[in-house]
Amino acid sequence: MKSKTLLVIIWLASLFLFGILSPVSANIIWSDDFSDDDYNDWTHVNPTTFGFDFVVSGGVVRSETDGNGDAYSWLTHPSAIEEGQWSFDFWQPNHGGEVSFIVMANGTLDALVGYGINIVCFDDYAPIVYLDKWDGTFWGGASHLDSYPHDTQISNTWVHFDVTCDASHVMNVYMDNKHILQYSSVAYNSSEIFIFGVGEYQVSNIVGFGMDNVVIDDIIVTPMTTTTTTTTKTITTATTTTTTTTTIYEVALELPLLIITGVAIVVLLVIVVEMRK
């Protein structure tokens, strides 16, 4: 009788341990690493008078033009997340320009409401990153809610951004896991699309700006505790090379998981000893 009871206890404990040791993943709503070399899930929006396009090669999407270097355009993806985290990689070419990642957006080029970041990169200077609110036309500019002047150039470099918004309407921005921007009064909680915009004010060279590894979660994972390998993808107008990039979002969950596992093992051993007595 004791043997049967012991077997049942061990079986139940095993199920418990298997459950807590199963992989834990973030609540990813949608993502795109462009490994399929297309952006079929995205919509290209731009004025028809500009010869502008986006291309995907080597698992990276980048901006391109057929000769008109001063333009502006969008790639949009359906995204109804108003609370959570928006993560993405940005490639700055070796010239100046302006790029926007509007993480929470509604509307069109002519009537846009949204929140996100605006990256202004100069040819000879480090970029300025703005936390912006759009309320009007895209090309009419946005209200700067906070700003961060970066201390080094990022030409021909991948930069990782995380934007978060919590239930208290506080938005934070992290650049390569460093906290750089904050705004505490996000005024609306509605979103239809995520926007990758290039050349907002029609005064930018729009060639060569890149985006990759877009991940949208409906929970906030702690960017300061993530472990991220550095991407070595390189973008030029001719060739693109790529290597695998892995971001671990579950690091913050590992310590509690280990504690629970240790406690469960101790309890199981105690039960076995008592049953033998």
Side-chain angles (χ1 to χ4, degrees):
M1 184 65 180
K2 286 185 176 180
S3 298
K4 290 183 179 180
T5 304
L6 179 60
L7 288 175
V8 171
I9 293 173
I10 293 174
W11 178 70
L12 291 174
S14 299
L15 289 179
F16 173 73
L17 288 174
F18 177 78
I20 65 173
L21 289 174
S22 297
V24 179
S25 61
N27 294 344
I28 297 176
I29 302 303
W30 66 271
S31 65
D32 199 342
D33 62 4
F34 304 100
S35 58
D36 52 7
D37 277 347
D38 65 52
Y39 58 87
N40 292 341
D41 296 330
W42 298 71
T43 300
H44 180 204
V45 181
N46 73 299
T48 57
T49 56
F50 291 143
F52 185 96
D53 202 357
F54 291 94
V55 297
V56 184
S57 61
V60 173
V61 62
R62 61 181 174 83
S63 56
E64 179 179 272
T65 179
D66 63 3
N68 187 344
D70 294 328
Y72 56 95
S73 189
W74 282 3
L75 275 183
T76 72
H77 192 290
S79 185
I81 301 303
E82 305 90 24
E83 179 184 332
Q85 181 161 320
W86 302 261
S87 302
F88 44 86
D89 292 335
F90 164 65
W91 173 268
Q92 162 69 29
N94 60 354
H95 60 76
E98 187 169 1
V99 171
S100 299
F101 290 89
I102 310 178
V103 299
M104 190 187 304
N106 289 299
T108 65
L109 279 164
D110 299 318
L112 173 67
V113 178
Y115 288 88
I117 63 171
N118 189 31
I119 307 165
V120 181
C121 304
F122 303 98
D123 289 342
D124 300 320
Y125 302 96
I128 299 176
V129 184
Y130 296 99
L131 176 53
D132 279 359
K133 176 184 179 180
W134 283 261
D135 190 4
T137 60
F138 175 66
W139 60 88
S143 301
H144 297 328
L145 307 175
D146 197 4
S147 63
Y148 168 73
H150 196 45
D151 54 0
T152 57
Q153 291 188 13
I154 59 171
S155 298
N156 290 327
T157 304
W158 280 106
V159 180
H160 181 75
F161 285 98
D162 297 285
V163 182
T164 68
C165 190
D166 61 23
S168 300
H169 304 286
V170 177
M171 183 168 282
N172 289 282
V173 179
Y174 301 83
M175 181 177 181
D176 285 336
N177 292 341
K178 176 184 177 181
H179 184 249
I180 60 171
L181 299 167
Q182 185 178 76
Y183 181 67
S184 58
S185 301
V186 174
Y188 74 101
N189 56 359
S190 176
S191 178
E192 297 174 349
I193 53 177
F194 173 97
I195 299 172
F196 174 45
V198 179
E200 180 172 343
Y201 296 112
Q202 307 183 52
V203 295
S204 303
N205 184 337
I206 50 80
V207 179
F209 293 93
M211 173 178 63
D212 197 12
N213 299 321
V214 184
V215 180
I216 280 71
D217 300 88
D218 65 357
I219 61 173
I220 295 177
V221 293
T222 50
M224 298 300 287
T225 61
T226 58
T227 300
T228 307
T229 57
T230 302
T231 181
T232 58
K233 294 179 181 178
T234 302
I235 297 179
T236 67
T237 55
T239 61
T240 301
T241 60
T242 180
T243 59
T244 302
T245 298
T246 304
T247 301
I248 303 173
Y249 290 100
E250 294 80 24
V251 173
L253 300 176
E254 289 181 355
L255 184 58
L257 183 60
L258 290 174
I259 294 173
I260 295 173
T261 303
V263 171
I265 291 174
V266 171
V267 170
L268 178 59
L269 291 175
V270 171
I271 292 174
V272 171
V273 171
E274 290 300 318
M275 290 301 299
R276 286 183 175 178
K277 289 181 179 179

